[in-house]
Each structure stands twice: as C-alpha cells, then as structure tokens.
Amino acid sequence: MRSFEDQLFGGVRVVHVPGIQGPHGPQGEKGEKGDQGERGPVGERGPQGPQGVQGPQGEIGPQGRSFTPDAMGPYDDRPLYDDQKAGFVYFAVDTATLFYKLSDSLADWSTGTSIKGEAGLTGPQGIQGEKGDKGEKGDKGDTGDTGPQGDRGDTGPQGEKGEKGETGAKGEKGDTGEQGMSFMPNYVGLDADRSNYDGYTKGVAYLATDTGKLYFKKSNALGDWTDGIDFGRGPTGPRGSSANEILMDPDPELYFLSVYGETHEDEIWFADTVPFDPDPVETFEGSLES
C-alpha cells in the first residue's frame, strides 16, 4: 500500500487516500539525457581476475645513444673523483665496472655495475695462416752465473802406451836459471804403495822413499805415471879422512916416546937426548886442538 501524502492548497491541508492502482499507460517518449551526476566514492577493490592472454610482441624501438663515462681508469684511481657532482660516471677498466655518484657528498658512489658479460662459447679454430719470414737473430744474452761444481766422474780406462819416439839432437846448454822453490811431494811412501794413488788426478806427485824416485801422474787415466826421477839420497860415498888422521902421520905418541923415553902407567921417563925439530909435543898438542 502506498503511504499517505499531505499537500497544502491555499493553506488547507488535503489528505489523499490512495485508491486501487489502475493499469499502466503506454510508455512515453524518452526524454533528453540529463547532466552527468557527481562521481561517487571508489568502492573496494574486487578479487584479482585470471591472467589474460599475452598480447603480441611490440615493434623494436629505435637504437639508443652510445654511453660514454665521464672518466675512466683503474679501480684504484676512483678516489680521485670522490668530489664530483651527483650523476658523475666512472668506469674502472681493470674490473669492467661502472660507478655512479649518487649525490654531491664526498665518495658517495654506487656499488658498481659490471658490464662484462659471461664468457661465450669457444669458436671454431680458424684457418692456419701462412708461415712468416724468419726473424733476425737476437743479440747474445749475458753469461749466466756459474753453476755448482758437479760430482767427480768415474776414472776412464787407461789408454794404450804409445811408441817411444826417436831421441832428438842434444841442444845447447841454456843459461843458468833462477833458484827454484823448495818442492814438497803430495804423497810419500814405499814404491810398492804407489799403486794406491793410481786413480788420482793429473799432476799428483809421489816420492818413493825406498828408491829415491819421484813420480808424477801424467793424466787422469788409471796408473798413468812417469818413469820416475831420481830425487832421493844418492849412493854412499867413500869414507873421508879427518884432520887428526892427516896430522898423526907419524903417530904423535909413538914419535914422542921414540924421542923422550917411554911411559909407565901415568908416568913418562925421559931419555938424555936432544929435542928434535919439529918438537913432537907441539905436533901432538896441535893435532888435539884441530
């Protein structure tokens, strides 16, 4: 039911009593579109719908401009630009990294963006080029330091003894040389023990004390000795006479007794004779003094 509505007509309140609704009349013509009302408040966001189908790929855009950093150099030189303004770009060539000044503050750099890509796959080996011309010989390098002396090698086999050559003509006597230095052999011993040094090096000297011969190693070959040089004590000479033996001819004592007498134990008996010339006493005392 419809509610009652009050209307005033000339100050008299009229109360309408609703009756039975009649039938709808025909629809009238559509009126002109009214002005758009004010936009209402935004309602709450509804649930997210399903993802739509991917659209077609767009056209390739124009090529961008090439990028040139404001400064470049090794990473260790970046502090030289710590006082630059915001937007300043520094490229570290040794690490292939870009750094941006985030503000005008001192050393306020970005963490760095590497522009070095990942290593690509190894390409196929190219065709070998033609062999180039041989270069000029380089200068000889400096002589290196002498290395440590190596171990002594084993003694080689002794070579065969060559034939003795013909004796040459005797040369003229040379001038007397200066007095030589005293010589000391390297080893001394019996001739039979010389074989103990057969393996020694060239120039080693060995003196055999029993034969008086001096031997030298002619080479490093085993047992390659010289024939030997007489270097020791010579043969014993004849026994010499002393001065007393020369003066005692005749024997002074016998001569004294024959002139003056004879001796009896510690006493001498003189005979009455005239002394001889020379005086045998002086001859005897002179022999004792000499």
Side-chain angles (χ1 to χ4, degrees):
M1 295 180 61
R2 297 180 60 184
S3 61
F4 295 100
E5 296 180 2
D6 295 339
Q7 293 183 359
L8 293 178
F9 293 96
V12 178
R13 181 179 298 277
V14 178
V15 177
H16 298 277
V17 178
I20 299 173
Q21 185 176 359
H24 289 281
Q27 184 175 359
E29 295 179 1
K30 184 176 181 181
E32 297 179 0
K33 183 177 180 181
D35 297 333
Q36 183 176 355
E38 297 179 1
R39 185 174 182 178
V42 180
E44 297 179 0
R45 183 174 182 178
Q48 183 177 358
Q51 183 176 358
V53 180
Q54 182 177 357
Q57 183 176 358
E59 297 179 359
I60 298 175
Q63 182 177 358
R65 293 180 302 174
S66 60
F67 174 77
T68 303
D70 298 299
M72 64 177 60
Y75 175 79
D76 292 341
D77 288 351
R78 192 189 67 172
L80 301 176
Y81 306 93
D82 285 348
D83 57 350
Q84 295 295 323
K85 302 295 182 180
F88 184 87
V89 181
Y90 181 79
F91 178 60
V93 294
D94 51 349
T95 61
T97 307
L98 285 171
F99 297 93
Y100 296 84
K101 278 297 298 294
L102 301 177
S103 66
D104 295 345
S105 300
L106 186 66
D108 187 15
W109 294 99
S110 63
T111 55
T113 303
S114 177
I115 63 173
K116 183 178 181 180
E118 297 180 358
L121 300 176
T122 303
Q125 183 175 357
I127 302 175
Q128 183 175 358
E130 297 180 359
K131 184 177 180 180
D133 298 334
K134 184 177 180 181
E136 298 180 359
K137 184 176 180 181
D139 298 333
K140 184 177 180 181
D142 298 334
T143 304
D145 299 333
T146 304
Q149 183 175 357
D151 299 334
R152 179 179 177 181
D154 297 333
T155 303
Q158 181 176 356
E160 297 180 359
K161 185 176 181 180
E163 297 179 359
K164 185 176 181 180
E166 297 180 358
T167 303
K170 184 177 180 180
E172 298 180 0
K173 183 177 181 180
D175 298 334
T176 302
E178 299 178 359
Q179 183 176 358
M181 299 174 63
S182 61
F183 175 76
M184 291 294 293
N186 300 106
Y187 304 97
V188 179
L190 300 177
D191 200 338
D193 295 336
R194 178 165 52 97
S195 60
N196 297 333
Y197 306 90
D198 285 351
Y200 280 51
T201 57
K202 177 182 177 180
V204 169
Y206 182 85
L207 177 62
T209 56
D210 53 343
T211 62
K213 287 190 175 184
L214 180 66
Y215 298 89
F216 292 88
K217 280 297 298 297
K218 295 188 294 183
S219 67
N220 294 337
L222 186 66
D224 189 15
W225 295 97
T226 59
D227 294 335
I229 303 172
D230 291 329
F231 192 74
R233 179 184 297 177
T236 303
R239 184 174 182 270
S241 301
S242 66
N244 292 339
E245 291 177 343
I246 297 175
L247 296 176
M248 289 182 181
D249 186 18
D251 185 277
E253 184 178 359
L254 296 177
Y255 178 66
F256 179 84
L257 294 176
S258 64
V259 175
Y260 290 99
E262 55 185 11
T263 60
H264 295 274
E265 295 181 355
D266 56 350
E267 294 180 358
I268 300 177
W269 295 357
F270 292 94
D272 294 333
T273 58
V274 179
F276 288 175
D277 187 19
D279 189 349
V281 176
E282 294 179 355
T283 302
F284 179 73
E285 291 178 352
S287 65
L288 294 179
E289 292 177 355
S290 60

